[in-house]
Amino acid sequence: MKTIYNSIREEVIKHSKVKNSVLGNVGEWKRSHYIILSEIIKDELSESEEMKGGKKFEIGNTISHVTLQRFFENDYQDKTHNDLRFLKTLDKICIFLGYKDLNAYIQFVKEKKQENSADDQEFLKQMVYDYCSTVFEFYKNFPNHKTELFKPLVFDDSPFLERASQFSRELCERDFQLVTKNNRSNFEVFDIHIVTDEPDKKILESQEFWNLLFKVGETGEEHFVNQLNTQIYFIKKIGNTWKIWDNYNPDAGRLNKIIE
């Protein structure tokens, strides 16, 4: 309920009638400002369809400036803010915000949270797809070692990028070139799911099939990579940016070991 309480306060501050009043130009509200807010809410409630009929007599259509000041300035407390009279106040504020009542607002926040969670999951899964596509593009550039391709997806100082750069640099130095003619090289990513979901850290698991054919420049010697494995991606949030920090690939460096 504390989250809902804080969310309602933020919604009131962002309401167009509040932002376009003198309150929108004040950093810290005083008693006189809560009197103005009380009048704004009263005017809106008097015109609200939700307040017609018995609702107006059930909960009233005014909120005192004293109650509003307490609502905005006091921290949430279960005992105080689960009181029936205060819940009626929240009903009126939610009606002012354009909802049927407090319960309708709670349901809206719940659904919005679920939608955001689904969007976040799609964003993270897409990051894994994009990374694998970038890896394939990276191989296509061999023997040019273009690690800058990973910059949008992988943190520069990550152990993952350092490890991957070391393996790939060795192949480029040996003049490895990816064969893509007639779809000789390809990859597939599937069954991506989130293992750990924390505010600043996500762990994703994916199934990946890599079918790659490399030829060595002068000799034409061929090296095949044909593997299906489970990979783990550690994705972190630094500042406001989500990127890959590390990766567990059981077959990492496999080709390097074969050619040693």
Side-chain angles (χ1 to χ4, degrees):
M1 191 62 186
K2 182 177 181 180
T3 302
I4 295 295
Y5 180 83
N6 292 331
S7 177
I8 291 173
R9 289 197 293 198
E10 293 173 4
E11 291 287 338
V12 171
I13 293 171
K14 293 188 294 184
H15 192 282
S16 59
K17 289 294 178 66
V18 176
K19 286 181 66 177
N20 294 327
S21 72
V22 65
L23 302 179
N25 299 317
V26 178
E28 184 178 350
W29 291 350
K30 303 295 184 183
R31 177 179 176 276
S32 59
H33 298 115
Y34 289 107
I35 293 174
I36 295 172
L37 179 60
S38 177
E39 288 298 316
I40 291 173
I41 292 176
K42 177 185 174 182
D43 291 344
E44 282 293 295
L45 292 181
S46 66
E47 300 293 327
S48 172
E49 289 291 327
E50 293 294 339
M51 297 301 290
K52 293 182 179 179
K55 192 87 168 182
K56 175 180 178 180
F57 300 101
E58 179 186 344
I59 64 174
N61 67 343
T62 61
I63 306 174
S64 74
H65 71 275
V66 175
T67 299
L68 287 170
Q69 190 163 2
R70 288 174 181 163
F71 172 64
F72 275 90
E73 295 183 354
N74 295 347
D75 290 332
Y76 177 83
Q77 297 177 355
D78 286 332
K79 184 176 180 181
T80 304
H81 297 110
N82 281 320
D83 177 86
L84 181 59
R85 287 172 300 175
F86 188 74
L87 292 177
K88 287 185 177 180
T89 295
L90 292 182
D91 269 334
K92 285 183 278 190
I93 295 176
C94 288
I95 292 171
F96 164 70
L97 293 173
Y99 301 89
K100 183 178 180 181
D101 51 23
L102 173 60
N103 286 333
Y105 182 78
I106 292 173
Q107 183 62 30
F108 167 78
V109 171
K110 181 180 178 181
E111 292 174 356
K112 186 176 180 181
K113 185 177 180 181
Q114 291 173 341
E115 290 175 3
N116 289 340
S117 177
D119 290 342
D120 289 344
Q121 289 190 23
E122 287 304 311
F123 166 74
L124 294 167
K125 290 179 180 180
Q126 188 61 48
M127 184 180 293
V128 173
Y129 281 117
D130 291 345
Y131 170 75
C132 291
S133 295
T134 302
V135 169
F136 193 67
E137 188 64 28
F138 178 62
Y139 290 153
K140 285 165 65 175
N141 279 277
F142 275 18
N144 293 322
H145 194 243
K146 299 183 66 174
T147 55
E148 62 270 19
L149 293 172
F150 296 109
K151 194 173 183 65
L153 296 165
V154 183
F155 284 113
D156 290 339
D157 57 348
S158 68
F160 178 31
L161 185 59
E162 182 178 349
R163 191 167 58 249
S165 296
Q166 180 181 345
F167 288 143
S168 57
R169 185 178 291 107
E170 291 178 4
L171 300 180
C172 286
E173 289 173 351
R174 292 173 179 262
D175 202 19
F176 270 56
Q177 299 171 26
L178 184 69
V179 179
T180 57
K181 189 175 181 179
N182 297 324
N183 200 32
R184 294 294 302 277
S185 297
N186 49 71
F187 72 96
E188 185 178 355
V189 186
F190 54 96
D191 194 22
I192 302 175
H193 66 276
I194 297 176
V195 178
T196 299
D197 190 356
E198 297 178 6
D200 296 321
K201 181 180 72 175
K202 317 288 182 184
I203 299 177
L204 276 70
E205 181 180 270
S206 69
Q207 299 292 318
E208 299 178 15
F209 173 70
W210 290 88
N211 179 52
L212 307 172
L213 170 61
F214 289 99
K215 280 191 175 183
V216 180
E218 290 186 1
T219 65
E221 180 183 355
E222 294 185 341
H223 293 277
F224 291 93
V225 174
N226 188 274
Q227 60 194 38
L228 172 66
N229 59 32
T230 300
Q231 294 202 38
I232 307 294
Y233 293 88
F234 301 85
I235 300 175
K236 291 176 65 174
K237 182 180 182 183
I238 299 179
N240 290 318
T241 302
W242 285 99
K243 286 186 181 182
I244 298 171
W245 177 255
D246 210 345
N247 158 275
Y248 171 69
N249 176 1
D251 294 309
R254 175 182 174 185
L255 194 54
N256 301 69
K257 295 172 185 176
I258 292 175
I259 62 177
E260 283 180 355

